[in-house]
Amino acid sequence: MSDTYLVRYVGGPLDGRVDTVDGVLADPRSTVTHVHLHGGPKIVHHYDLQYALEYGCEYRLRED
């Protein structure tokens, strides 16, 4: 039996997104990069891993 964990995104275009992960991540990525491609220029957002009491971990938009 495996537990399902939630990974939450806070801020930016992924705000409110919640991914489910089967089992504990042994080595979660410290940064997630989201690249938005559309008719205009490429837009890149970086999310940094932080601990969240409610979820266990969440990725928060990096304020550059």
Side-chain angles (χ1 to χ4, degrees):
M1 180 175 144
S2 72
D3 294 322
T4 301
Y5 295 89
L6 300 177
V7 177
R8 182 174 174 236
Y9 293 84
V10 179
L14 298 181
D15 188 45
R17 177 177 171 176
V18 177
D19 290 339
T20 57
V21 179
D22 292 330
V24 177
L25 297 174
D27 188 22
R29 293 183 288 172
S30 61
T31 300
V32 171
T33 302
H34 175 261
V35 179
H36 182 74
L37 301 174
H38 55 88
K42 176 173 72 171
I43 300 172
V44 179
H45 292 94
H46 299 282
Y47 290 83
D48 296 316
L49 180 65
Q50 295 185 0
Y51 179 75
L53 187 59
E54 315 84 46
Y55 292 95
C57 71
E58 65 185 16
Y59 286 97
R60 290 193 166 268
L61 180 66
R62 181 184 300 165
E63 299 295 330
D64 293 325

